[in-house]
Amino acid sequence: MSAKRTLHEDWTVTGDPGAPVAVTATPAAVPGEVVADLLAAGLISDPYTDGAERDLAWVGRSDWTYRTSFDHQGDWDGIDLVFDGLDTVARVSLNGTVLGETANMHRRYRFDTRDAIRQGANELEVHFTAPYTYAEAQRDRLGDRPNAYPEPGNFIRKAACDFGWDWGPNLAGAGIWRPVRLECWDTARIEEVVPRVSLEDGIGVVELEVRLKRAAETGVVLECAIGRNSASGDGHFVAEANVQVPAGSDTATVRLEVDAPERWRPHGYGRRTLYEATVAVVAGDEVLDSWERRIGFRTVELDTEPDADGRPYRLKVNGEPVWIKGVNWIPDEAMSGRIDPARIERRLRQAVAAGVNYIRVWGGGVYESEAFYRICDGLGLLVGQDFAFACAAYPEEAPFWSEVEAEARDNLARLAPHPSLVTWTGNNENLWGWHDWNWQDRLGDRTWGAGYYHDLLPKLVAEVDGTRPYWPGSPYSGTRELHPNEQAHGTVHIWDVWNELDYTHYRDWKPRFVAEFGYQAPPTWATVRRMVTDDPLTADSAAMLWHQKAQNGQAKLQRGLDAHLPPVRDFDDWLYYTQVNQARAIRLGLERFRSLQPYCTGAIVWQLNDCWPVTSWAAIDGEERLKPLWYALRDAFAERLVTFQPHGDGLNMVVVNDAAEAWNGVIGFWKCNPEGRIIGRALVQLEIDARDTAVLELEPGAIPKDGEFLVTGREDFPRAAWFTKEDKDMDWPKARCTTEVAVAEGGVAVTVHAESVLRDLCLFADRLDPDALVDKALITLLPGEHATFTVTSDAIAASPELRQALTAKPVLRAVND
């Protein structure tokens, strides 16, 4: 038998005596980290507000000691202290006896306590060495290596973004960041179970690799089973097997077969059927230990065989190609203790609501939690997990090689049950960095990580997992002989547009698969007011600039405004216009890439989420609010998409049907003058197969001339438009409309009747209630049309003054207002 109890209560944290802030036996949260503890104790200012982050550099250069006490009773063969995550360089002591030391945030740790634990009260201490102290010492020992940022994060196995990024703060602290527990057991316990799930000629095969830890030379039995999923099953097992593990043996492989299992399918491709896999260790009539996880039967293939055009990167699930509608994922909070399963589920449901079917877990963060993957399993979100390397050269010498091997083995085993996990990738941008970022001369003959990406990691993926494809890097062209960001081969990152060019240059690219591309904008109004107290508030006020981490970020935003939109008159204009520009840039890029399918097989937007309030590439800001980009993603990722695409001197209408059913119908589109008067009409009869694309070349007479524009009707797909001039040059009439406001269940309905063209109409209800939600944004209306915005907000519904404010600037905006 066994007993497991969490040790999350009554922790304190103490800092260095010479630190700028005296921290003595301050209450601490576990799981959590030290910055949040200091903030909760009132010892520091909120690092998310104004420039307070800059005053916390000392935290990452200080040692920290966490302590708690717990009571223990009873005699057991084994008594283990188990940490699911220690951040990062720690010494663990129990009653003054050192149990062990750690130097890797990305691993789980187990310590045998039998020589140190006492009956009754026990004192547990975890001492953390400052991450900068450790990393800088390793850098000095091994020699410096290139990093995209002037930080030593590549010399410690800690999330790279903890040391700051071009969207994130530097809060490189310490803490017990994942659960800790005491596990007591007799005779034998389960050390690890790795389920390898496959399909063989319609038979579901689950091969369970089981490792045991023994305290007695006693034979045990493994009772293994696969149970029906809760949605359709009756609780009966669909496969069972009992295996005798004789004394002296610590491993066993158990094969179970399920006849014609229901498959797990991605979002948009059918049901997400899950089964329960269980393993029990039994001696006589006693269950000594047990393990259970949800699994799913599905196949995954990555087609990268060269073709006449280069090398594709095509993901197939259950034999069917899936066009990847993806977003990049970073840690959802800079203070990790604030991330709970409910928050993760909110974020992932927001992704699904935007039409996303794929999450790339970026390599500068962490290997995501069980909760993250469990939720993705249930939602049908495909996940690509990077190994934890990003934008830097990493040493391969001791102790790093063995640490990387241990963390890879641990996470490959931990995440193996999850059907949502479909690919492993070796790193983020390090292969690209070696080619293009002036690394080679600076490195000389020093290691930089190639041995991990090309040798160690693919070997471990095959050995530990064996069911999922591996790709050496993002970007990567499939062979070391090619430049890693060659657009005709494999995966690419597109950053020349944001860094150097106008966003219309996305149309210059013809990629096989886009793993990163993005465009910035500030967060929502309510989040801006949370992050800065500047008065007056301007785009270049001090705190706004502190919350812009990208190199020349404000200048790049201004370049985009100058190219497309009318002159900015005040901060309200700047906020609205930059958000509109971000949304337009990403929608233009996504429509370009979707119009290239099946040549192009997917696009992953940088990025879904933020970890604090900041001007960034995110669609959902650090306070969990939807930016206009989120609504643009929902349109651009819609199952049925119509887009106008330039082709030579002409114009094509590209119609994409990503639905499981054929699309048979009629599309109407109109040619209009700047006043919105219709000066030409056309109808197109459609017959498009499921998961197919049609390209229609427009007749010369249907193509708008200078100052005119095209729009489709408002049908069961997002409205498509083509403008011959930028808004700054378009002879738009001043926006005119009438409005109606009505209290509805849970909020307010705001109906806008257009009397002129209304370009990219948005309603920013968060200006009136920070918790308000709006169901749509970026709506272009012609004269005589109307749109109804549903605002979910009890506060606005209850206030006549707030309801009236919904219909005026700066809440209700159009580009031509």
Side-chain angles (χ1 to χ4, degrees):
M1 59 182 259
S2 64
K4 302 175 183 180
R5 56 182 285 210
T6 59
L7 300 177
H8 294 167
E9 305 299 325
D10 302 322
W11 285 88
T12 64
V13 62
T14 298
D16 283 346
V21 175
V23 182
T24 304
T26 297
V30 171
E33 52 76 46
V34 70
V35 175
D37 295 333
L38 301 181
L39 180 61
L43 297 174
I44 61 171
S45 299
D46 186 347
Y48 291 0
T49 300
D50 294 331
E53 174 212 352
R54 64 162 60 90
D55 299 325
L56 297 181
W58 61 275
V59 173
R61 296 186 176 278
S62 299
D63 289 1
W64 300 97
T65 302
Y66 281 74
R67 296 185 179 92
T68 192
S69 60
F70 64 91
D71 185 73
H72 171 73
Q73 303 292 336
D75 295 323
W76 299 82
D77 291 339
I79 308 170
D80 297 338
L81 187 61
V82 182
F83 291 90
D84 287 341
L86 289 166
D87 181 13
T88 293
V89 182
R91 182 183 66 245
V92 179
S93 303
L94 183 62
N95 301 320
T97 298
V98 175
L99 300 180
E101 296 183 343
T102 77
N104 195 326
M105 175 186 190
H106 304 299
R107 291 176 55 187
R108 296 172 293 180
Y109 293 93
R110 179 182 290 269
F111 302 104
D112 184 346
T113 71
R114 284 174 297 177
D115 293 336
I117 202 163
R118 300 188 294 235
Q119 297 292 315
N122 288 264
E123 301 297 324
L124 176 59
E125 176 183 291
V126 183
H127 175 80
F128 291 97
T129 299
Y132 274 95
T133 300
Y134 177 89
E136 289 172 349
Q138 295 291 342
R139 181 187 63 193
D140 294 344
R141 181 177 69 88
L142 296 171
D144 200 6
R145 285 160 172 79
N147 191 334
Y149 301 93
E151 299 290 343
N154 46 337
F155 290 91
I156 183 172
R157 296 309 297 155
K158 178 175 171 63
C161 63
D162 284 357
F163 294 88
W165 216 259
D166 56 5
W167 39 257
N170 185 331
L171 298 176
I176 304 169
W177 77 288
R178 279 181 170 163
V180 54
R181 61 194 171 275
L182 194 69
E183 296 190 358
C184 304
W185 53 278
D186 282 333
T187 308
R189 65 169 174 82
I190 294 173
E191 183 85 10
E192 185 173 77
V193 179
V194 180
R196 299 187 181 99
V197 182
S198 61
L199 286 157
E200 299 177 7
D201 298 323
I203 302 295
V205 176
V206 183
E207 189 177 83
L208 298 166
E209 287 285 343
V210 183
R211 287 196 298 117
L212 301 177
K213 180 72 173 179
R214 291 179 179 271
E217 291 300 318
T218 302
V220 297
V221 174
L222 299 181
E223 296 183 353
C224 306
I226 308 297
R228 293 184 186 275
N229 69 89
S230 57
S232 64
D234 52 14
H236 293 170
F237 294 137
V238 294
E240 296 179 81
N242 292 349
V243 174
Q244 181 78 35
V245 185
S249 177
D250 294 329
T251 63
T253 300
V254 184
R255 179 183 171 99
L256 297 100
E257 296 185 356
V258 178
D259 186 41
E262 297 180 36
R263 297 198 182 200
W264 182 93
R265 301 183 187 277
H267 174 64
Y269 286 75
R271 292 178 54 179
R272 278 82 69 189
T273 302
L274 294 164
Y275 291 78
E276 298 288 339
T278 61
V279 178
V281 182
V282 179
D285 295 329
E286 185 177 20
V287 176
L288 303 177
D289 199 4
S290 63
W291 172 98
E292 64 179 41
R293 295 291 188 277
R294 296 193 308 179
I295 61 170
F297 293 98
R298 52 92 183 108
T299 63
V300 178
E301 306 164 68
L302 193 57
D303 176 12
T304 62
E305 285 300 311
D307 57 25
D309 298 307
R311 185 186 298 269
Y313 183 94
R314 181 180 295 109
L315 187 69
K316 296 181 180 179
V317 181
N318 296 316
E320 185 175 4
V322 177
W323 206 91
I324 297 303
K325 305 172 186 175
V327 286
N328 281 274
W329 174 275
I330 66 172
D332 204 53
E333 250 281 355
M335 290 183 268
S336 60
R338 295 180 173 183
I339 304 175
D340 59 13
R343 181 186 178 104
I344 293 172
E345 183 163 4
R346 289 194 300 273
R347 199 69 58 254
L348 293 173
R349 286 190 178 277
Q350 287 170 322
V352 170
V356 169
N357 64 13
Y358 186 99
I359 306 285
R360 176 191 172 217
V361 182
W362 169 75
V366 299
Y367 302 91
E368 268 299 341
S369 66
E370 288 297 312
F372 173 92
Y373 273 98
R374 185 177 65 251
I375 295 163
C376 287
D377 291 342
L379 294 175
L381 281 168
L382 302 170
V383 184
Q385 174 76 57
D386 284 6
F387 285 97
F389 303 92
C391 299
Y394 286 80
E396 299 173 31
E397 292 84 354
F400 293 105
W401 185 275
S402 59
E403 282 292 346
V404 168
E405 179 170 2
E407 94 184 31
R409 287 185 179 278
D410 189 20
N411 286 285
L412 285 164
R414 179 175 68 89
L415 299 178
H418 297 284
S420 57
L421 176 58
V422 291
T423 61
W424 284 95
T425 299
N427 69 85
N428 175 79
E429 297 191 344
N430 294 348
L431 305 178
W432 191 12
W434 188 84
H435 273 265
D436 282 0
W437 299 354
N438 300 315
W439 285 12
Q440 296 179 42
D441 290 342
R442 295 164 60 191
L443 280 167
D445 60 358
R446 282 173 293 184
T447 59
W448 59 276
Y452 300 140
Y453 317 135
H454 294 297
D455 301 318
L456 177 65
L457 295 176
K459 181 192 79 170
L460 295 177
V461 171
E463 176 186 329
V464 179
D465 184 318
T467 68
R468 294 174 174 88
Y470 170 83
W471 197 243
S474 186
Y476 184 60
S477 295
T479 173
R480 297 196 215 191
E481 281 67 45
L482 284 173
H483 187 281
N485 207 40
E486 167 54 52
Q487 62 177 314
H489 301 267
T491 61
V492 299
H493 291 191
I494 301 177
W495 286 112
D496 60 343
V497 171
W498 162 251
N499 285 315
E500 303 166 14
L501 305 170
D502 183 67
Y503 61 71
T504 55
H505 285 275
Y506 285 130
R507 296 193 182 110
D508 297 342
W509 282 77
K510 191 179 179 184
R512 304 307 297 266
F513 187 97
V514 184
E516 274 189 27
F517 78 109
Y519 202 91
Q520 265 203 351
T524 59
W525 169 262
T527 301
V528 167
R529 292 319 282 161
R530 155 86 164 92
M531 77 182 190
V532 301
T533 61
D534 293 341
D535 187 18
L537 178 58
T538 69
D540 295 324
S541 57
M544 281 298 296
L545 291 178
W546 186 258
H547 287 257
Q548 167 59 278
K549 299 293 187 178
Q551 184 177 22
N552 299 321
Q554 298 300 82
K556 293 170 184 176
L557 290 174
Q558 190 60 48
R559 183 190 68 215
L561 296 179
D562 293 341
H564 296 278
L565 289 158
V568 167
R569 296 161 295 185
D570 54 26
F571 183 82
D572 291 335
D573 275 1
W574 182 82
L575 185 65
Y576 168 54
Y577 286 168
T578 50
Q579 291 179 340
V580 165
N581 241 12
Q582 179 188 40
R584 290 182 181 179
I586 298 306
R587 181 167 179 176
L588 184 149
L590 287 174
E591 290 188 3
R592 163 64 176 172
F593 307 141
R594 290 193 72 185
S595 77
L596 296 173
Q597 61 186 89
Y599 176 90
C600 178
T601 56
I604 308 178
V605 175
W606 186 271
Q607 63 209 66
L608 175 69
N609 56 330
D610 268 330
C611 65
W612 74 317
V614 66
T615 296
S616 84
W617 297 265
I620 305 167
D621 71 26
E623 295 288 304
E624 305 191 55
R625 299 186 179 94
L626 306 179
K627 293 160 68 171
L629 172 58
W630 182 90
Y631 300 89
L633 291 182
R634 187 174 63 180
D635 286 347
F637 281 151
E639 278 194 334
R640 292 178 171 176
L641 176 75
V642 177
T643 176
F644 296 106
Q645 293 291 322
H647 181 70
D649 295 330
L651 196 64
N652 288 344
M653 175 190 285
V654 182
V655 185
V656 181
N657 180 25
D658 198 37
E661 304 82 24
W663 186 0
N664 298 316
V666 176
I667 293 178
F669 63 98
W670 310 322
K671 182 165 63 174
C672 304
N673 67 11
E675 287 75 32
R677 183 168 60 87
I678 297 172
I679 57 177
R681 302 174 186 266
L683 296 175
V684 177
Q685 179 70 43
L686 291 176
E687 290 187 16
I688 305 178
D689 291 339
R691 321 286 189 198
D692 204 359
T693 302
V695 180
L696 305 145
E697 185 176 351
L698 298 189
E699 297 291 337
I703 298 174
K705 299 176 182 177
D706 193 37
E708 298 170 348
F709 65 97
L710 287 181
V711 291
T712 59
R714 304 177 66 206
E715 304 175 51
D716 61 348
F717 56 87
R719 168 169 263 176
W722 177 264
F723 298 91
T724 55
K725 286 185 176 181
E726 301 297 341
D727 284 304
K728 67 185 181 66
D729 302 317
M730 198 76 169
D731 190 20
W732 291 126
K734 184 172 178 60
R736 301 188 311 278
C737 64
T738 60
T739 57
E740 300 169 5
V741 180
V743 176
E745 184 176 354
V748 177
V750 180
T751 302
V752 180
H753 299 269
E755 297 180 345
S756 69
V757 173
L758 299 178
R759 180 79 167 106
D760 277 337
L761 187 69
C762 292
L763 195 154
F764 296 107
D766 66 291
R767 284 181 170 266
L768 306 176
D769 173 13
D771 297 324
L773 300 174
V774 182
D775 68 332
K776 58 177 63 73
L778 304 167
I779 306 298
T780 293
L781 298 177
L782 301 183
E785 295 181 336
H786 71 275
T788 298
F789 296 83
T790 300
V791 180
T792 303
S793 167
D794 291 336
I796 295 175
S799 168
E801 293 79 12
L802 294 180
R803 295 200 302 271
Q804 183 61 37
L806 286 169
T807 64
K809 289 193 294 187
V811 178
L812 187 65
R813 293 300 309 260
V815 167
N816 56 318
D817 63 15

